Amino acid sequence: MRTLRVSTSAIALILSGFVLSGLASAAELPAGKGLGLRGEYRSSTDMSGPARVIRTDPTVDFSWGYASPAIGLPSNRFSVRWTGQLEAPSTGAYKLTTQTDGGVRVWLDGAKVIDQWTAHPTALHSSGTLNLTAGRRYALRVEYYEVT
């Protein structure tokens, strides 16, 4: 079984070998190509309010410490929603794993696979076994909030 790590000391979702695409349609990029995930950054901890910053993040692997994740956002008490697609490099069994010090939720193809929407010390959280097919793109959504 392979583990896909979504890690954070703020947050990290490390998907080595996986293709991440923030585009709305899989047809927009050829197989095996991806630019990252669309990140929508808000200055609330509950995902409410308009996104203050929208950008494509090549990976979800951040350790902001006491810094702000972007100009115009607080260094504390913010949330982020990353959306896009995940393409498995080979067919097999995988686990998604997050390492966060704030709340985190992860959905794959609409199914919530990680739900730790509480403030907590840095900890690892894993999905159950996910059987993925090479070349198929799966809808991916990751939500995170920071409160320290």
Side-chain angles (χ1 to χ4, degrees):
M1 170 148 351
R2 290 163 259 183
T3 297
L4 310 177
R5 189 170 175 212
V6 178
S7 160
T8 84
S9 294
I11 180 164
L13 168 59
I14 302 166
L15 301 168
S16 300
F18 277 72
V19 175
L20 299 176
S21 172
L23 299 176
S25 166
E28 295 181 52
L29 283 176
K33 303 292 181 192
L35 304 172
L37 297 176
R38 174 187 166 103
E40 299 174 10
Y41 293 72
R42 292 172 168 77
S43 55
S44 68
T45 58
D46 62 1
M47 304 301 302
S48 65
R52 306 259 320 262
V53 173
I54 299 174
R55 67 183 187 204
T56 299
D57 290 318
T59 63
V60 178
D61 186 6
F62 298 100
S63 182
W64 291 295
Y66 295 107
S68 169
I71 294 172
L73 287 170
S75 59
N76 215 342
R77 306 194 60 74
F78 63 87
S79 57
V80 187
R81 176 180 292 133
W82 289 278
T83 55
Q85 300 168 339
L86 177 137
E87 182 181 328
S90 60
T91 298
Y94 293 86
K95 279 189 178 186
L96 291 175
T97 301
T98 64
Q99 180 180 353
T100 66
D101 67 353
V104 65
R105 299 184 285 215
V106 180
W107 290 262
L108 193 64
D109 262 5
K112 193 181 292 182
V113 296
I114 295 175
D115 188 7
Q116 293 296 323
W117 201 244
T118 61
H120 53 270
T122 300
L124 292 172
H125 309 288
S126 295
S127 68
T129 300
L130 303 168
N131 294 306
L132 304 179
T133 303
R136 178 169 173 229
R137 294 205 173 159
Y138 298 86
L140 178 66
R141 183 170 92 202
V142 178
E143 294 179 347
Y144 168 75
Y145 76 87
E146 171 64 45
V147 293
T148 51

